[in-house]
Amino acid sequence: MRAAVFRGDGVLEVESVEVPEIQNPDDILIKIRACSICGSDLHVLAVPPGQYAKPGTILGHEFVGIVEKTGTAVTQFRPGDKVVAEPNIRCGMCPECRKGNYNLCRNAVNTGQVRDGGFAEYCIMPEKQLYHVPAEMPDKLGALAEPLACVMNGMMKINPQAYEKVVLFGAGAIGLLFVRALRRYGVRDIAVCETMPSRMEDARKAGADLVLNPAEDDLAAELEKAWGSLADIAIDAVGAGAVLEQIIDITNCGARILIFGQNMTQHSTIRPGDINNKELTITATLSTKNSFGPAVSLLQDPDFGAEQLVTHEISLDDIQKGIALMRSKEAVKVVVYPQQGV
Ligand SMILES: [Zn+2]
Ligand SMILES: [Zn+2]
């Protein structure tokens, strides 16, 4: 089969490799229908990398596929079922897993980073990682289940109320999913901070009532003008260190700040006293926890409109083009179709 293999030092190569075989009784062989490119994939392919992946691994963790074959112990899935996957496999034994914080598992084995992922024609996943999606769900929508599940994990952490004022930094795919989810939660006052004109427009379309340019606008003054208030909730969907510095200045006392995304090359300089002075709460969200079901459910809401995030659809052989489109921010979300002739 064809697969996009990480070779280290920013190199990703599309190669012919063996179709994986079922090894454990709970394994399921999935024929991949679609797999989207994530910001994490760009971090892995950066030099120096912003996230770790093991050389020799097939990348891709945001996928939808059809069950091809099941191990002998599989009970909940059968060939032909359409599935999405929670990519990070937890150990179930470490202190975090035992506390129920399985997304923080210290021994997690991340699909598409240290075990083979979905930029391939086939992938093996243990049964416990899979969720059913309706057969009629479009593939490009199914590929968004994982990023939306990450967003829903964040939504559960900040628990936004309809009357609260939310400022979100970054109108990439994650930011736009947040805007749509916030709308679904009944939040009316949503301001998006973004510097790229096309993404500013995307934010308006997704439902932001105020779109600001942090490079030009006095954010705090603009918020005061529009709302008579600063933010009750601020979400960093950029992951650049400077964003946290800007966030401190645009929050109300007692505000909650959510950090989304992980780029280990970034640093931030903030004054702890500013956090103390406003009694701010800084929280974060890593991966997915109890949020896959809600994401799959939201994706089926015809008014949610997640498919509008997908700006480019390409074949696996064109994955380099897709990565370049993501890097240049010309694309919001690129969906890769790994099957030959699709
Ligand atoms: Zn991702
Ligand atoms: Zn664990």
Side-chain angles (χ1 to χ4, degrees), residues 219-242:
L219 300 180
E222 292 295 328
L223 295 176
E224 287 283 5
K225 198 163 84 189
W227 296 342
S229 160
L230 298 175
D232 302 309
I233 295 172
I235 302 169
D236 172 10
V238 177

Side-chain angles (χ1 to χ4, degrees), residues 38 61-62 146:
C38 175
H61 60 270
E62 302 179 349
E146 197 276 340

